[in-house]
Amino acid sequence: MASEKEMQSAFRRKRVRILKYLLVISMITFIVVPIVLCLILFAKVNSLEKQIDSLSSAVETYTKVQTDTVQGQVDENSSSQGFIIMPEVTTEPIPDVSDGKPDSYEEEAPQVRKVYLSFDDGPSSNTNEILDILAEYNVKATFFAVGKEGEKAEAAYKRIVDEGHTLGMHTYSHKYSTIYASVDDFAKDLSQLQEYLYNVTGVWSRYVRFPGGSSNTVSKIDMKEFIHYVNEQGLTYLDWNVSSKDATSPSPKASEIVDNCLADIDRHQTVVILMHDAAGKHSTVEALSVLIETIQAMENTEILPITEDTELVQHITISEDETEE
């Protein structure tokens, strides 16, 4: 039997061989694996270089085609028109559209509808009630007045002016047979009213509404002749594009007057509403509060008195050439 000493010696030799084997394996692993990885990486890099070369070649080809196309257009323009049109190059910065809109984008403000309440044929007892309602809603209107004398009428004229409303002229007599008999008759009648209103209120009225409007069919004389006169005096005449129809017979109810006014408002951005404050028009007084509240509730709508900034609403207009004649 082998001695214990020989057995230990054999065990040590065996262990040394195993250690040498492991050492050799480890050295081979540390040397071979990096080499293999380098070879794989080299192959990848080579493949990418080929792809880049291919893409570069495609880009050069596309650029050449585009250049030849533009040059062809330039040559064509040059030969046909005698000059060269260079492609337009913009130097403007690209807008920031991160929020869906460029920085310079501004929403267009909605256009405001302007409504003008106008009353013809006053003053009367109804005029003061109308003025009370207008004051309650802080609304200014326009009154095309006729000539009436006496303390009550004079007080009404003054109140119209003092409370910031526009005082217009509807002729002194409002008699069709008189005012439309001739331009001279019209001029005398209108001048009488203008001077009377000035003496009472201190306001030299500049706004005219023809009885029946500029499109009336009562006058036997062409209305353009009267318009010529008004323009020559530096006055402004206005008609209407919405009628309350409160002058019809029988007199409409207040609800009907409101409906008549509201039916056509949406058709215009500048709205001139025809109403009357004569003595027999109390239904107009009854309709006024509802009409004002409804208009004030509309979006982008305001009620204003007629001024020099008002866009004119005229049934008949004359050109500059006609005015010169």
Side-chain angles (χ1 to χ4, degrees), residues 30 51 65 78 97 101 103 111 134 138 167 172 226 262 278 280 294 306:
F30 282 114
Q51 293 180 21
V65 170
S78 176
V97 292
K101 298 176 181 178
D103 288 342
Q111 190 173 359
L134 295 175
N138 193 29
L167 181 60
Y172 192 95
F226 298 101
L262 298 178
T294 305
I306 289 171

Side-chain angles (χ1 to χ4, degrees), residues 115-122 127 130-131 134 139-146 160-161 163-170 205-209 236-239 271-277 288 303-308 310:
V115 178
Y116 300 89
L117 305 179
S118 65
F119 300 89
D120 290 5
D121 298 351
T127 303
I130 289 173
L131 289 170
L134 295 175
V139 167
K140 306 303 180 186
T142 302
F143 292 82
F144 290 100
V146 298
I160 289 170
V161 171
E163 295 185 6
H165 305 285
T166 298
L167 181 60
M169 299 179 289
H170 202 39
S205 181
R206 298 179 53 252
Y207 302 101
V208 177
R209 174 166 287 162
T236 301
Y237 71 97
L238 294 104
D239 292 307
V271 181
V272 179
I273 300 179
L274 171 65
M275 292 179 283
H276 295 81
D277 60 329
L288 190 56
I303 303 175
L304 300 168
I306 289 171
T307 67
E308 60 183 9
T310 301

